[in-house]
């Protein structure tokens, strides 16, 4: 998120970002209502949404916003499998667009932007999590939107106040969906603070001069990026203030958050799909969301990363650290976002963790890979073909695994399970 006298000479690919997002939504929509039964963690959130429509508390260990959105879809559209998941699918598509806008405003390069969106769309995790009624895609949508608007405020200072206000609202909504996004939400404020102090010293605490956005004081930025998100986050609990039974006391946020933390930390029973952050990085541990006869056929949904891009992304992460050292600050930005999210889970006290917690880190890893592939493409004609091959392989992996990413009809029971199990740890 580095200011420059002139942002970029390249044309903004906003239209192509929208096209990719629309095609991605169409792909999500195909068989979105299958399986026609609740599966995996939908049992928590669909049940919570149904209870919420009745004014009854359920699943109080998580923030309310994601369940409120699912509840609204059920109330307005009907209690059907398609409508359970429709809001996640829409969030996944718009969130993918928001990611593209973030990459554009950080890098100013069309190729990196479009390749990053392509890699995220085909990295398996974003696709699978966009087709299940859980909280993660709401978090991802609002989190990416917040970072996009914060970056655009730096690049387009004439619109900075509106952009910062929008970023603050999106931050509050992201936190109101799921707490896992919290480390990302402190990044814009820390960048603003560090930039101000670098340009103006201690005077940067109150002067409008210097910093990433001239004319915006640290106090004003703190209001947009600190106080406003907290206010919006508090408002996301509005339905909980009015539950018919056991409503939350709106004036005791410390009390209700301590209770939520207590509930989350109380889940210590080992789970067969439990995993750790270093296993996510190596793509060692997968989760079968479902694998059984359902809707007239044997079907399965596997959550695992793209076997090629998730590993190639690690090499790209190392390259981004080196490129950042050589002056490509945008490479450091996305490598830093990846490392921040991984560090959060490595240091987290949450006793039971799952591969789907790699959603946000894996997304930033794909941006690192996009930056590395663009550098390879621009280097010489001799190496350009490798970048193109990487995209073809990513798409080929997505097509190959598509049947068990999308609950397609599988041919023959157990042998179909074995066909995709490249690693014993995926079983």
């Amino acid at each position: 998120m580095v200011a420059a006298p002139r942002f970029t000479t390249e044309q903004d690919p906003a239209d192509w970002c929208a096209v990719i997002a629309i095609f991605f939504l169409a792909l999500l929509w195909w068989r979105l209502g299958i399986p026609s039964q609740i599966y995996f963690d939908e049992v928590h959130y669909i049940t919570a949404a149904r209870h919420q429509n009745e004014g009854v508390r359920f699943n109080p260990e998580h923030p309310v916003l994601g369940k409120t959105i699912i509840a609204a879809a059920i109330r307005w559209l009907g209690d059907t499998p398609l409508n359970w998941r429709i809001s996640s699918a829409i969030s996944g598509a718009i969130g993918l667009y928001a990611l593209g806008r973030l990459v554009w405003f950080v890098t100013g390069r069309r190729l990196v932007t479009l390749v990053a969106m392509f890699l995220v769309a085909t990295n398996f995790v974003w696709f699978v999590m966009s087709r299940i009624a859980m909280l993660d895609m709401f978090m991802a949508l609002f989190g990416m939107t917040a970072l996009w608007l914060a970056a655009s405020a730096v690049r387009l200072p004439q619109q900075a106040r509106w952009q910062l206000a929008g970023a603050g609202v999106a931050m509050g909504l992201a936190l109101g969906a799921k707490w896992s996004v919290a480390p990302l939400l402190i990044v814009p404020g820390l960048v603003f603070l560090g930039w101000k102090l670098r340009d103006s010293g201690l005077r940067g605490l109150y002067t409008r001069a210097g910093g990433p956005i001239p004319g915006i004081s640290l106090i004003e930025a703190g209001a947009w990026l600190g106080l406003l998100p907290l206010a919006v986050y508090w408002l996301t609990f509005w339905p909980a203030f009015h539950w018919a039974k056991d409503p939350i006391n709106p004036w005791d946020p410390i009390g209700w958050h301590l209770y939520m933390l207590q509930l989350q930390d109380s889940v210590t029973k080992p789970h067969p799909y439990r995993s750790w952050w270093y296993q996510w990085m190596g793509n060692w541990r997968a989760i079968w969301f479902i694998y059984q006869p359902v809707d007239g056929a044997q079907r399965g949904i596997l959550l695992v990363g793209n076997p090629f891009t998730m590993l190639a992304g690690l090499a790209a992460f190392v390259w981004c650290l080196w490129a950042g050292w050589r002056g490509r600050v945008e490479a450091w930005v996305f490598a830093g976002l990846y490392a921040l999210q991984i560090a959060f889970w490595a240091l987290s006290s949450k006793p039971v963790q799952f591969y789907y917690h790699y959603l946000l880190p894996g997304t930033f890893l794909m941006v690192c890979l996009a930056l590395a592939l663009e550098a390879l493409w621009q280097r010489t004609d001799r190496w350009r073909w490798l970048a193109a091959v990487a995209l073809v392989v990513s798409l080929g992996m997505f097509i190959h695994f598509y049947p068990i990413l999308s609950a397609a009809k599988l041919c023959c029971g157990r042998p179909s399970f074995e066909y995709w199990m490249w690693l014993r740890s995926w079983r």
Side-chain angles (χ1 to χ4, degrees):
M1 303 178 185
V2 181
R6 184 174 185 176
F7 172 36
T8 182
T9 59
E10 298 189 27
Q11 184 179 358
D12 187 341
D15 49 353
W16 283 107
C17 292
V19 168
I20 292 174
I22 290 170
F23 272 98
F24 186 69
L25 180 60
L27 188 60
L28 292 173
W29 215 271
W30 182 250
R31 289 197 306 271
L32 184 60
I34 295 176
S36 60
Q37 65 184 42
I38 291 174
Y39 70 100
F40 196 62
D41 276 2
E42 286 187 336
V43 66
H44 302 300
Y45 306 119
I46 294 173
T47 305
R50 288 168 172 169
H51 279 78
Q52 191 163 310
N53 281 334
E54 299 171 357
V56 178
R57 182 178 70 175
F58 191 88
N59 187 242
E61 62 266 32
H62 289 293
V64 176
L65 180 60
K67 292 170 285 188
T68 300
I69 295 173
I70 297 172
I74 291 174
R75 186 170 60 252
W76 296 339
L77 303 175
D79 194 349
T80 68
L82 175 64
N83 297 332
W84 300 339
R85 301 165 190 143
I86 193 172
S87 49
S88 287
I90 293 172
S91 296
I94 300 176
L96 183 64
Y97 176 81
L99 169 73
R101 304 309 292 149
L102 167 64
V103 176
W104 167 252
F105 280 109
V106 171
T107 68
R109 295 202 291 280
R110 288 171 58 91
L111 183 59
V112 172
T113 299
L114 300 178
V115 169
M117 291 184 68
F118 176 83
L119 292 173
V120 171
T122 58
N123 83 338
F124 298 9
V125 182
W126 194 279
F127 177 81
V128 172
M129 296 305 297
S130 296
R131 291 173 51 87
I132 186 170
M134 291 173 60
L135 309 179
D136 299 76
M137 291 318 300
F138 308 126
M139 170 194 69
L141 162 62
F142 295 125
M144 293 301 168
T145 300
L147 295 180
W148 156 28
L149 293 175
S152 66
V154 175
R155 296 300 197 181
L156 306 172
Q158 67 275 17
Q159 305 171 18
R161 283 188 174 86
W162 287 109
Q163 304 282 18
L164 289 178
V169 170
M171 287 178 183
L173 296 176
L175 197 61
K178 196 170 184 180
W179 290 345
S180 304
V181 75
L184 296 183
L185 303 185
I186 65 174
V187 170
L190 289 179
V191 169
F192 197 99
L193 172 62
W195 211 321
K196 276 283 190 180
L197 293 178
R198 186 198 67 178
D199 288 355
S200 305
L202 293 178
R203 292 178 61 251
L205 297 176
Y206 55 85
T207 183
R208 292 179 177 272
I213 308 173
I216 301 290
S217 68
L218 187 61
I219 294 175
E220 181 180 355
W224 294 127
L225 302 177
L227 296 179
L228 180 58
L230 291 176
V232 172
Y233 173 69
W234 182 85
L235 285 172
T236 63
F237 285 86
W238 190 264
F241 301 155
H242 300 89
W243 282 332
K245 183 179 180 181
D246 297 326
I248 286 176
N249 180 358
W251 311 118
D252 184 26
I254 294 177
W256 90 60
H257 280 83
L258 289 175
Y259 178 62
M260 293 167 68
L261 286 170
Q262 180 184 354
L263 290 175
Q264 292 198 13
D265 291 340
S266 67
V267 181
T268 58
K269 182 180 178 181
H271 191 284
Y273 284 130
R274 177 181 180 178
S275 58
W276 304 101
W277 59 274
Y278 52 85
Q279 294 175 313
W280 310 339
M281 294 176 67
N283 210 25
W284 298 337
R285 194 73 179 104
I287 301 177
W288 277 103
F289 279 178
I290 189 172
Y291 188 82
Q292 66 185 62
V294 61
D295 297 307
Q298 179 72 37
R299 301 179 190 274
I301 299 176
L302 180 73
L303 180 68
V304 70
N306 186 308
F308 171 69
T309 57
M310 286 300 197
L311 296 180
L314 295 178
F317 169 72
V318 174
W319 176 87
C320 281
L321 294 177
W322 174 83
W325 182 261
R326 296 291 299 271
R328 293 192 57 173
V329 180
E330 71 277 12
W332 256 352
V333 168
F334 289 106
L337 290 173
Y338 174 75
L340 177 65
Q341 281 295 113
I342 285 293
F344 170 77
W345 287 110
L347 300 174
S348 173
S349 62
K350 189 175 178 65
V352 180
Q353 301 176 15
F354 298 98
Y355 186 77
Y356 57 75
H357 293 135
Y358 200 50
L359 172 67
L360 292 179
T363 298
F364 297 123
L365 191 67
M366 294 302 96
V367 182
C368 291
L369 182 55
L371 286 165
L373 292 178
E374 190 243 12
L376 192 62
W377 181 265
Q378 298 291 349
R379 188 173 181 178
T380 63
D381 291 340
R382 179 181 178 184
W383 297 104
R384 178 171 290 187
W385 65 273
L386 283 175
V389 167
L391 298 182
V392 171
V393 173
S394 179
L395 179 60
M397 288 289 184
F398 182 82
I399 293 172
H400 178 73
F401 280 85
Y402 180 75
I404 58 168
L405 303 176
S406 62
K409 180 179 179 180
L410 303 181
C411 64
C412 47
R414 183 71 180 181
S416 66
F417 171 89
E418 301 286 352
Y419 178 69
W420 283 282
M421 295 298 95
W422 294 3
L423 300 177
R424 182 174 296 276
S425 57
W426 288 2
R427 297 170 183 268

